[in-house]
mmCIF file of all heavy atoms in Angstrom:
data_model
loop_
_atom_site.group_PDB
_atom_site.id
_atom_site.type_symbol
_atom_site.label_atom_id
_atom_site.label_comp_id
_atom_site.label_asym_id
_atom_site.label_seq_id
_atom_site.Cartn_x
_atom_site.Cartn_y
_atom_site.Cartn_z
ATOM 1 N N ARG A 1112 -12.268 30.608 14.226
ATOM 2 C CA ARG A 1112 -12.082 32.016 13.877
ATOM 3 C C ARG A 1112 -10.587 32.303 13.837
ATOM 4 O O ARG A 1112 -9.803 31.633 14.470
ATOM 5 C CB ARG A 1112 -12.747 32.915 14.926
ATOM 6 C CG ARG A 1112 -14.257 32.786 14.983
ATOM 7 C CD ARG A 1112 -14.866 33.710 16.030
ATOM 8 N NE ARG A 1112 -14.445 33.341 17.376
ATOM 9 C CZ ARG A 1112 -13.743 34.119 18.199
ATOM 10 N NH1 ARG A 1112 -13.359 35.312 17.825
ATOM 11 N NH2 ARG A 1112 -13.393 33.705 19.400
ATOM 12 N N ARG A 1113 -10.226 33.314 13.070
ATOM 13 C CA ARG A 1113 -8.831 33.772 13.031
ATOM 14 C C ARG A 1113 -8.787 35.196 13.574
ATOM 15 O O ARG A 1113 -9.643 36.014 13.258
ATOM 16 C CB ARG A 1113 -8.302 33.807 11.598
ATOM 17 C CG ARG A 1113 -8.159 32.478 10.922
ATOM 18 C CD ARG A 1113 -7.583 32.695 9.508
ATOM 19 N NE ARG A 1113 -7.807 31.556 8.668
ATOM 20 C CZ ARG A 1113 -7.055 30.472 8.674
ATOM 21 N NH1 ARG A 1113 -6.040 30.393 9.478
ATOM 22 N NH2 ARG A 1113 -7.321 29.468 7.882
ATOM 23 N N THR A 1114 -7.766 35.466 14.371
ATOM 24 C CA THR A 1114 -7.571 36.823 14.858
ATOM 25 C C THR A 1114 -6.165 37.279 14.456
ATOM 26 O O THR A 1114 -5.211 36.499 14.559
ATOM 27 C CB THR A 1114 -7.767 36.914 16.392
ATOM 28 O OG1 THR A 1114 -7.669 38.254 16.825
ATOM 29 C CG2 THR A 1114 -6.759 36.064 17.130
ATOM 30 N N PRO A 1115 -6.032 38.522 13.981
ATOM 31 C CA PRO A 1115 -4.710 38.996 13.560
ATOM 32 C C PRO A 1115 -3.750 39.114 14.751
ATOM 33 O O PRO A 1115 -4.145 39.537 15.835
ATOM 34 C CB PRO A 1115 -4.992 40.380 12.961
ATOM 35 C CG PRO A 1115 -6.459 40.425 12.723
ATOM 36 C CD PRO A 1115 -7.086 39.498 13.717
ATOM 37 N N ILE A 1116 -2.505 38.713 14.519
ATOM 38 C CA ILE A 1116 -1.421 38.920 15.480
ATOM 39 C C ILE A 1116 -0.222 39.392 14.675
ATOM 40 O O ILE A 1116 -0.200 39.242 13.452
ATOM 41 C CB ILE A 1116 -1.079 37.630 16.266
ATOM 42 C CG1 ILE A 1116 -0.650 36.505 15.309
ATOM 43 C CG2 ILE A 1116 -2.239 37.175 17.134
ATOM 44 C CD1 ILE A 1116 -0.084 35.288 16.012
ATOM 45 N N PRO A 1117 0.796 39.973 15.344
ATOM 46 C CA PRO A 1117 1.978 40.401 14.583
ATOM 47 C C PRO A 1117 2.569 39.246 13.787
ATOM 48 O O PRO A 1117 2.813 38.172 14.330
ATOM 49 C CB PRO A 1117 2.942 40.867 15.691
ATOM 50 C CG PRO A 1117 2.050 41.269 16.821
ATOM 51 C CD PRO A 1117 0.882 40.316 16.766
ATOM 52 N N GLY A 1118 2.721 39.457 12.500
ATOM 53 C CA GLY A 1118 3.326 38.451 11.643
ATOM 54 C C GLY A 1118 2.375 37.405 11.111
ATOM 55 O O GLY A 1118 2.793 36.438 10.508
ATOM 56 N N GLY A 1119 1.072 37.545 11.351
ATOM 57 C CA GLY A 1119 0.135 36.549 10.836
ATOM 58 C C GLY A 1119 -1.188 36.542 11.558
ATOM 59 O O GLY A 1119 -1.707 37.583 11.942
ATOM 60 N N PHE A 1120 -1.733 35.338 11.756
ATOM 61 C CA PHE A 1120 -3.020 35.175 12.408
ATOM 62 C C PHE A 1120 -2.925 34.073 13.449
ATOM 63 O O PHE A 1120 -2.132 33.149 13.329
ATOM 64 C CB PHE A 1120 -4.092 34.781 11.381
ATOM 65 C CG PHE A 1120 -4.466 35.880 10.441
ATOM 66 C CD1 PHE A 1120 -3.733 36.087 9.281
ATOM 67 C CD2 PHE A 1120 -5.532 36.718 10.713
ATOM 68 C CE1 PHE A 1120 -4.061 37.098 8.401
ATOM 69 C CE2 PHE A 1120 -5.867 37.733 9.840
ATOM 70 C CZ PHE A 1120 -5.134 37.929 8.693
ATOM 71 N N GLN A 1121 -3.761 34.200 14.481
ATOM 72 C CA GLN A 1121 -3.893 33.132 15.464
ATOM 73 C C GLN A 1121 -5.231 32.448 15.238
ATOM 74 O O GLN A 1121 -6.250 33.105 15.050
ATOM 75 C CB GLN A 1121 -3.833 33.682 16.889
ATOM 76 C CG GLN A 1121 -3.981 32.597 17.941
ATOM 77 C CD GLN A 1121 -3.929 33.153 19.350
ATOM 78 O OE1 GLN A 1121 -4.041 34.349 19.569
ATOM 79 N NE2 GLN A 1121 -3.776 32.269 20.312
ATOM 80 N N LEU A 1122 -5.196 31.127 15.236
ATOM 81 C CA LEU A 1122 -6.401 30.345 15.063
ATOM 82 C C LEU A 1122 -7.091 30.187 16.410
ATOM 83 O O LEU A 1122 -6.459 29.821 17.395
ATOM 84 C CB LEU A 1122 -6.029 28.977 14.503
ATOM 85 C CG LEU A 1122 -7.145 28.124 13.922
ATOM 86 C CD1 LEU A 1122 -7.740 28.787 12.697
ATOM 87 C CD2 LEU A 1122 -6.583 26.754 13.551
ATOM 88 N N LEU A 1123 -8.380 30.510 16.464
ATOM 89 C CA LEU A 1123 -9.172 30.336 17.688
ATOM 90 C C LEU A 1123 -10.152 29.203 17.423
ATOM 91 O O LEU A 1123 -11.200 29.394 16.813
ATOM 92 C CB LEU A 1123 -9.917 31.632 18.029
ATOM 93 C CG LEU A 1123 -9.021 32.846 18.261
ATOM 94 C CD1 LEU A 1123 -9.850 34.099 18.463
ATOM 95 C CD2 LEU A 1123 -8.100 32.610 19.447
ATOM 96 N N PRO A 1124 -9.795 27.987 17.866
ATOM 97 C CA PRO A 1124 -10.591 26.831 17.470
ATOM 98 C C PRO A 1124 -11.878 26.669 18.251
ATOM 99 O O PRO A 1124 -11.962 26.989 19.429
ATOM 100 C CB PRO A 1124 -9.657 25.649 17.739
ATOM 101 C CG PRO A 1124 -8.805 26.112 18.863
ATOM 102 C CD PRO A 1124 -8.623 27.597 18.649
ATOM 103 N N ASP A 1125 -12.871 26.163 17.565
ATOM 104 C CA ASP A 1125 -14.078 25.673 18.187
ATOM 105 C C ASP A 1125 -13.701 24.355 18.871
ATOM 106 O O ASP A 1125 -12.858 23.623 18.356
ATOM 107 C CB ASP A 1125 -15.123 25.438 17.096
ATOM 108 C CG ASP A 1125 -16.457 25.015 17.657
ATOM 109 O OD1 ASP A 1125 -16.648 23.805 17.899
ATOM 110 O OD2 ASP A 1125 -17.307 25.892 17.830
ATOM 111 N N PRO A 1126 -14.302 24.028 20.020
ATOM 112 C CA PRO A 1126 -13.956 22.752 20.674
ATOM 113 C C PRO A 1126 -14.101 21.534 19.766
ATOM 114 O O PRO A 1126 -13.349 20.566 19.907
ATOM 115 C CB PRO A 1126 -14.939 22.686 21.848
ATOM 116 C CG PRO A 1126 -15.251 24.107 22.158
ATOM 117 C CD PRO A 1126 -15.232 24.815 20.817
ATOM 118 N N ALA A 1127 -15.021 21.583 18.810
ATOM 119 C CA ALA A 1127 -15.220 20.444 17.908
ATOM 120 C C ALA A 1127 -14.065 20.257 16.934
ATOM 121 O O ALA A 1127 -13.935 19.199 16.324
ATOM 122 C CB ALA A 1127 -16.525 20.609 17.139
ATOM 123 N N SER A 1128 -13.205 21.256 16.797
ATOM 124 C CA SER A 1128 -12.078 21.182 15.861
ATOM 125 C C SER A 1128 -10.933 20.332 16.379
ATOM 126 O O SER A 1128 -10.083 19.900 15.608
ATOM 127 C CB SER A 1128 -11.541 22.584 15.579
ATOM 128 O OG SER A 1128 -12.550 23.408 15.053
ATOM 129 N N LYS A 1129 -10.904 20.097 17.676
ATOM 130 C CA LYS A 1129 -9.773 19.414 18.311
ATOM 131 C C LYS A 1129 -9.942 17.903 18.179
ATOM 132 O O LYS A 1129 -10.418 17.239 19.086
ATOM 133 C CB LYS A 1129 -9.671 19.849 19.769
ATOM 134 C CG LYS A 1129 -9.452 21.344 19.917
ATOM 135 C CD LYS A 1129 -9.415 21.763 21.375
ATOM 136 C CE LYS A 1129 -9.187 23.252 21.500
ATOM 137 N NZ LYS A 1129 -9.029 23.647 22.911
ATOM 138 N N LEU A 1130 -9.535 17.375 17.049
ATOM 139 C CA LEU A 1130 -9.801 15.982 16.712
ATOM 140 C C LEU A 1130 -8.754 14.994 17.206
ATOM 141 O O LEU A 1130 -8.994 13.794 17.202
ATOM 142 C CB LEU A 1130 -9.908 15.826 15.195
ATOM 143 C CG LEU A 1130 -10.967 16.658 14.482
ATOM 144 C CD1 LEU A 1130 -10.970 16.301 13.001
ATOM 145 C CD2 LEU A 1130 -12.333 16.432 15.097
ATOM 146 N N PHE A 1131 -7.610 15.476 17.639
ATOM 147 C CA PHE A 1131 -6.504 14.574 17.926
ATOM 148 C C PHE A 1131 -6.232 14.467 19.423
ATOM 149 O O PHE A 1131 -6.595 15.352 20.198
ATOM 150 C CB PHE A 1131 -5.275 15.001 17.120
ATOM 151 C CG PHE A 1131 -5.443 14.654 15.668
ATOM 152 C CD1 PHE A 1131 -6.146 15.495 14.817
ATOM 153 C CD2 PHE A 1131 -4.972 13.456 15.168
ATOM 154 C CE1 PHE A 1131 -6.353 15.153 13.490
ATOM 155 C CE2 PHE A 1131 -5.167 13.099 13.843
ATOM 156 C CZ PHE A 1131 -5.861 13.947 13.008
ATOM 157 N N PRO A 1132 -5.602 13.365 19.839
ATOM 158 C CA PRO A 1132 -5.506 13.032 21.264
ATOM 159 C C PRO A 1132 -4.833 14.066 22.156
ATOM 160 O O PRO A 1132 -5.090 14.102 23.352
ATOM 161 C CB PRO A 1132 -4.714 11.715 21.267
ATOM 162 C CG PRO A 1132 -5.028 11.095 19.957
ATOM 163 C CD PRO A 1132 -5.139 12.239 19.005
ATOM 164 N N GLY A 1133 -3.980 14.908 21.604
ATOM 165 C CA GLY A 1133 -3.359 15.961 22.398
ATOM 166 C C GLY A 1133 -4.149 17.255 22.392
ATOM 167 O O GLY A 1133 -3.663 18.286 22.840
ATOM 168 N N GLY A 1134 -5.372 17.218 21.875
ATOM 169 C CA GLY A 1134 -6.188 18.427 21.770
ATOM 170 C C GLY A 1134 -5.831 19.277 20.569
ATOM 171 O O GLY A 1134 -6.168 20.461 20.511
ATOM 172 N N GLU A 1135 -5.195 18.657 19.564
ATOM 173 C CA GLU A 1135 -4.746 19.426 18.413
ATOM 174 C C GLU A 1135 -5.818 19.514 17.326
ATOM 175 O O GLU A 1135 -6.650 18.641 17.177
ATOM 176 C CB GLU A 1135 -3.494 18.794 17.784
ATOM 177 C CG GLU A 1135 -2.315 18.678 18.705
ATOM 178 C CD GLU A 1135 -2.189 17.289 19.308
ATOM 179 O OE1 GLU A 1135 -3.144 16.486 19.173
ATOM 180 O OE2 GLU A 1135 -1.149 17.012 19.911
ATOM 181 N N VAL A 1136 -5.707 20.585 16.572
ATOM 182 C CA VAL A 1136 -6.525 20.860 15.402
ATOM 183 C C VAL A 1136 -5.747 20.426 14.164
ATOM 184 O O VAL A 1136 -4.526 20.605 14.087
ATOM 185 C CB VAL A 1136 -6.818 22.380 15.326
ATOM 186 C CG1 VAL A 1136 -7.490 22.755 14.021
ATOM 187 C CG2 VAL A 1136 -7.649 22.831 16.519
ATOM 188 N N PHE A 1137 -6.425 19.843 13.188
ATOM 189 C CA PHE A 1137 -5.841 19.534 11.877
ATOM 190 C C PHE A 1137 -5.807 20.849 11.100
ATOM 191 O O PHE A 1137 -6.840 21.437 10.799
ATOM 192 C CB PHE A 1137 -6.699 18.471 11.204
ATOM 193 C CG PHE A 1137 -6.444 18.200 9.747
ATOM 194 C CD1 PHE A 1137 -5.212 18.419 9.151
ATOM 195 C CD2 PHE A 1137 -7.456 17.672 8.965
ATOM 196 C CE1 PHE A 1137 -4.992 18.156 7.813
ATOM 197 C CE2 PHE A 1137 -7.264 17.393 7.620
ATOM 198 C CZ PHE A 1137 -6.033 17.642 7.043
ATOM 199 N N LEU A 1138 -4.612 21.342 10.804
ATOM 200 C CA LEU A 1138 -4.444 22.656 10.190
ATOM 201 C C LEU A 1138 -4.811 22.649 8.709
ATOM 202 O O LEU A 1138 -4.461 21.731 7.977
ATOM 203 C CB LEU A 1138 -3.002 23.128 10.347
ATOM 204 C CG LEU A 1138 -2.520 23.325 11.785
ATOM 205 C CD1 LEU A 1138 -1.031 23.671 11.788
ATOM 206 C CD2 LEU A 1138 -3.329 24.398 12.497
ATOM 207 N N ASP A 1139 -5.483 23.707 8.279
ATOM 208 C CA ASP A 1139 -5.756 23.898 6.860
ATOM 209 C C ASP A 1139 -4.543 24.543 6.197
ATOM 210 O O ASP A 1139 -3.583 24.943 6.872
ATOM 211 C CB ASP A 1139 -7.010 24.749 6.667
ATOM 212 C CG ASP A 1139 -6.893 26.114 7.329
ATOM 213 O OD1 ASP A 1139 -6.066 26.936 6.874
ATOM 214 O OD2 ASP A 1139 -7.609 26.357 8.329
ATOM 215 N N CYS A 1140 -4.561 24.649 4.881
ATOM 216 C CA CYS A 1140 -3.404 25.164 4.137
ATOM 217 C C CYS A 1140 -2.981 26.549 4.615
ATOM 218 O O CYS A 1140 -1.785 26.796 4.834
ATOM 219 C CB CYS A 1140 -3.710 25.199 2.639
ATOM 220 S SG CYS A 1140 -3.843 23.578 1.860
ATOM 221 N N GLN A 1141 -3.935 27.458 4.782
ATOM 222 C CA GLN A 1141 -3.576 28.814 5.197
ATOM 223 C C GLN A 1141 -3.001 28.832 6.606
ATOM 224 O O GLN A 1141 -2.059 29.568 6.893
ATOM 225 C CB GLN A 1141 -4.787 29.752 5.103
ATOM 226 C CG GLN A 1141 -4.446 31.216 5.363
ATOM 227 C CD GLN A 1141 -3.401 31.752 4.389
ATOM 228 O OE1 GLN A 1141 -3.579 31.672 3.183
ATOM 229 N NE2 GLN A 1141 -2.300 32.297 4.899
ATOM 230 N N SER A 1142 -3.540 28.006 7.502
ATOM 231 C CA SER A 1142 -3.011 27.941 8.868
ATOM 232 C C SER A 1142 -1.593 27.380 8.883
ATOM 233 O O SER A 1142 -0.755 27.815 9.685
ATOM 234 C CB SER A 1142 -3.922 27.089 9.749
ATOM 235 O OG SER A 1142 -5.201 27.661 9.842
ATOM 236 N N ILE A 1143 -1.318 26.412 8.008
ATOM 237 C CA ILE A 1143 0.046 25.890 7.899
ATOM 238 C C ILE A 1143 0.991 27.000 7.459
ATOM 239 O O ILE A 1143 2.066 27.196 8.037
ATOM 240 C CB ILE A 1143 0.104 24.706 6.903
ATOM 241 C CG1 ILE A 1143 -0.650 23.498 7.472
ATOM 242 C CG2 ILE A 1143 1.557 24.343 6.582
ATOM 243 C CD1 ILE A 1143 -0.823 22.349 6.483
ATOM 244 N N ILE A 1144 0.583 27.769 6.459
ATOM 245 C CA ILE A 1144 1.396 28.888 5.975
ATOM 246 C C ILE A 1144 1.648 29.885 7.095
ATOM 247 O O ILE A 1144 2.786 30.305 7.333
ATOM 248 C CB ILE A 1144 0.709 29.585 4.779
ATOM 249 C CG1 ILE A 1144 0.693 28.661 3.568
ATOM 250 C CG2 ILE A 1144 1.393 30.915 4.454
ATOM 251 C CD1 ILE A 1144 -0.200 29.144 2.431
ATOM 252 N N ASP A 1145 0.584 30.284 7.792
ATOM 253 C CA ASP A 1145 0.704 31.293 8.855
ATOM 254 C C ASP A 1145 1.640 30.829 9.962
ATOM 255 O O ASP A 1145 2.511 31.582 10.417
ATOM 256 C CB ASP A 1145 -0.672 31.611 9.452
ATOM 257 C CG ASP A 1145 -1.604 32.303 8.475
ATOM 258 O OD1 ASP A 1145 -1.119 32.880 7.482
ATOM 259 O OD2 ASP A 1145 -2.829 32.275 8.717
ATOM 260 N N ARG A 1146 1.468 29.580 10.420
ATOM 261 C CA ARG A 1146 2.305 29.082 11.515
ATOM 262 C C ARG A 1146 3.757 28.900 11.075
ATOM 263 O O ARG A 1146 4.676 29.238 11.816
ATOM 264 C CB ARG A 1146 1.742 27.778 12.059
ATOM 265 C CG ARG A 1146 0.561 28.013 12.965
ATOM 266 C CD ARG A 1146 -0.025 26.725 13.510
ATOM 267 N NE ARG A 1146 -1.141 27.062 14.364
ATOM 268 C CZ ARG A 1146 -1.079 27.116 15.695
ATOM 269 N NH1 ARG A 1146 0.028 26.804 16.317
ATOM 270 N NH2 ARG A 1146 -2.133 27.457 16.406
ATOM 271 N N HIS A 1147 3.952 28.361 9.894
ATOM 272 C CA HIS A 1147 5.321 28.178 9.387
ATOM 273 C C HIS A 1147 6.042 29.518 9.339
ATOM 274 O O HIS A 1147 7.185 29.645 9.811
ATOM 275 C CB HIS A 1147 5.265 27.525 8.001
ATOM 276 C CG HIS A 1147 6.595 27.165 7.449
ATOM 277 N ND1 HIS A 1147 7.263 27.982 6.560
ATOM 278 C CD2 HIS A 1147 7.390 26.081 7.643
ATOM 279 C CE1 HIS A 1147 8.407 27.413 6.220
ATOM 280 N NE2 HIS A 1147 8.516 26.260 6.859
#
Side-chain angles (χ1 to χ4, degrees):
R1112 295 181 295 118
R1113 293 181 198 278
T1114 184
I1116 59 170
F1120 289 86
Q1121 179 180 14
L1122 195 65
L1123 300 175
D1125 184 275
S1128 302
K1129 300 177 180 185
L1130 302 183
F1131 287 83
E1135 301 98 349
V1136 172
F1137 168 27
L1138 298 175
D1139 58 67
C1140 290
Q1141 187 59 55
S1142 298
I1143 292 172
I1144 292 168
D1145 293 340
R1146 282 179 180 260
H1147 186 263

